[in-house]
């Protein structure tokens, strides 16, 4: 038979819980309430005690609640960076054999860029700030130091419409810094100092930045993205198409030359979406002719570097 004194103690505990439900719920949530009640009622109040030596139930409840508040959340292990994938640039050093006529044409294009180069705003969900800390509070270097080349797959207009469409979910957000049409028209979409969402799960030379704890890392935080409009023959999943126009290569060389000089980038920092993609799903820019880019960057003096 349970002693009457013990029953009375439990009744007093129940009264305290009814008067202070918030504290009781906090203790119960930790699984400690039952233990606390047993320990409290086991104290024999018939024995003499010094005043204030025996804590009240509320004192114990508040102590447990305070202990819960000070517990640190479990540490979250950040995703491990990928193994470095080597990159040998197809762009070679070139200080001689420059085509003077090509140089003159490209320099004339540079001077008239206000005619063939425009800026189009896109929806703010599709770009962001370059971050100085990752999702785990580790320091990041957000300075642009790699250029990733892409293709649009469909038309230039289709790409712009996509970028101007709101995409509240991170996995749907997409943009490049600059687009280059088949006719050589250049459309700047995102300021190079901001972060465009041109590549998903990606890395360059083993480096990425995890800026969303729900997603794997990406190089977007330190990358510049430029995309070439795909010819009609490339609007499918084939590995190749008819290739890009001479006007596109001219415009691409001018865009890249500007970035090379503005951000002090070595030509070896120019790579493809195919190379940086970690999922093995990207093959762009398909049918890209590195020699065509070589001639133009050499003519602009950007490949005569040590």
């Amino acid at each position: 038979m349970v002693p009457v004194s013990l029953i009375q103690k439990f009744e007093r505990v129940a009264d305290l819980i009814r008067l202070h439900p918030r504290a009781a719920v906090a203790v119960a949530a930790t699984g400690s309430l039952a233990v606390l009640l047993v320990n409290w009622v086991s104290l024999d109040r018939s024995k003499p005690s010094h005043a204030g030596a025996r804590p009240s139930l509320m004192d114990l409840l508040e102590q447990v609640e305070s202990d819960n508040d000070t517990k640190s959340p479990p540490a979250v292990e950040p995703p491990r960076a990928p193994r470095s994938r080597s990159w040998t640039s197809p762009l070679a050093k070139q200080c001689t054999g420059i085509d003077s006529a090509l140089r003159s044409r490209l320099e004339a294009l540079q001077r008239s860029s206000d005619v063939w180069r425009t800026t189009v705003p896109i929806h703010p969900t599709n770009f962001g700030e370059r971050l100085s800390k990752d999702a785990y509070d580790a320091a990041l270097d957000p300075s642009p130091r790699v250029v990733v080349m892409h293709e649009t797959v469909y038309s230039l207009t289709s790409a712009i419409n996509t970028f101007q469409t709101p995409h509240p979910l991170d996995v749907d957000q997409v943009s490049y810094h600059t687009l280059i049409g088949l006719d050589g028209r250049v459309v700047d979409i995102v300021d190079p100092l901001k972060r465009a969402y041109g590549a998903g799960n990606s890395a360059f030379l083993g480096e990425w930045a995890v800026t969303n704890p729900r997603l794997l890392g990406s190089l977007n935080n330190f990358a510049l993205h430029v995309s070439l409009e795909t010819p009609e023959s490339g609007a499918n999943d084939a590995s190749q198409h008819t290739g890009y126009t001479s006007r596109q290569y001219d415009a691409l060389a001018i865009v890249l030359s500007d970035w090379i000089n503005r951000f002090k980038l070595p030509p070896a920092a120019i790579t493809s979406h195919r190379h940086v993609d970690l999922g093995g799903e990207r093959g762009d820019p398909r049918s890209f002719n590195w020699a065509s880019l070589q001639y133009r960057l050499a003519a602009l003096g950007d490949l005569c570097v040590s």
Side-chain angles (χ1 to χ4, degrees):
M1 179 180 294
V2 180
V4 173
S5 60
L6 185 59
I7 294 175
Q8 290 174 338
K9 288 179 179 180
F10 272 110
E11 288 175 345
R12 291 177 181 175
V13 170
D15 290 339
L16 284 171
I17 291 175
R18 282 194 295 272
L19 290 172
H20 302 279
R22 184 178 65 84
V25 169
V27 177
T30 69
S32 304
L33 181 58
V35 175
L36 183 148
L37 292 176
V38 169
N39 290 338
W40 191 82
V41 299
S42 65
L43 296 173
D44 190 349
R45 299 171 79 182
S46 64
K47 294 181 180 179
S49 63
H50 299 287
R54 183 181 184 279
S56 69
L57 178 59
M58 277 310 301
D59 290 336
L60 295 174
L61 288 171
E62 290 174 357
Q63 179 61 46
V64 173
E65 185 179 31
S66 175
D67 291 343
N68 291 337
D69 290 340
T70 59
K71 286 183 179 178
S72 300
V76 178
E77 188 71 20
R80 182 173 298 178
R83 291 181 59 185
S84 178
R85 183 186 300 177
S86 63
W87 167 246
T88 301
S89 174
L91 298 173
K93 180 178 180 180
Q94 184 177 349
C95 301
T96 60
I98 305 301
D99 185 334
S100 58
L102 175 59
R103 172 182 288 173
S104 297
R105 188 178 81 239
L106 292 176
E107 289 176 346
L109 277 173
Q110 284 178 315
R111 291 191 296 269
S112 62
S113 62
D114 58 325
V115 175
W116 49 267
R117 191 166 188 171
T118 58
T119 299
V120 173
I122 64 172
H123 196 272
T125 57
N126 289 317
F127 68 96
E129 299 294 330
R130 294 190 185 272
L131 304 177
S132 58
K133 289 188 176 182
D134 69 7
Y136 304 91
D137 209 35
L140 293 175
D141 176 5
S143 57
R145 53 190 178 276
V146 60
V147 175
V148 182
M149 297 189 298
H150 307 257
E151 65 176 300
T152 61
V153 180
Y154 297 100
S155 70
L156 199 71
T157 300
S158 174
I160 293 172
N161 288 340
T162 299
F163 303 154
Q164 291 179 330
T165 301
H167 291 112
L169 298 180
D170 287 0
V171 294
D172 298 328
Q173 294 164 349
V174 60
S175 63
Y176 306 119
H177 290 94
T178 298
L179 297 169
I180 301 177
L182 291 166
D183 59 0
R185 179 166 54 108
V186 172
V187 182
D188 293 312
I189 300 295
V190 177
D191 186 314
L193 295 179
K194 296 190 181 294
R195 182 163 51 113
Y197 304 143
N201 182 207
S202 56
F204 184 63
L205 300 180
E207 182 183 6
W208 68 6
V210 181
T211 57
N212 184 331
R214 298 185 298 276
L215 301 174
L216 291 174
S218 166
L219 51 63
N220 288 336
N221 200 59
F222 56 91
L224 295 165
H225 297 283
V226 58
S227 186
L228 298 162
E229 182 179 16
T230 303
E232 290 185 7
S233 60
N236 51 50
D237 294 327
S239 60
Q240 293 185 327
H241 49 62
T242 55
Y244 309 102
T245 68
S246 177
R247 289 184 176 182
Q248 280 180 295
Y249 283 110
D250 285 351
L252 175 63
I254 292 173
V255 169
L256 294 179
S257 179
D258 175 59
W259 287 348
I260 287 171
N261 289 281
R262 180 178 177 182
F263 297 107
K264 310 303 180 188
L265 301 173
I270 300 170
T271 187
S272 67
H273 195 182
R274 178 198 296 269
H275 177 73
V276 303
D277 175 50
L278 295 177
E281 300 174 351
R282 306 296 180 182
D284 57 316
R286 296 168 291 169
S287 304
F288 187 78
N289 188 327
W290 284 93
S292 293
L293 180 59
Q294 169 86 27
Y295 301 147
R296 289 164 172 81
L297 287 179
L300 291 170
D302 295 311
L303 299 184
C304 187
V305 293
S306 57

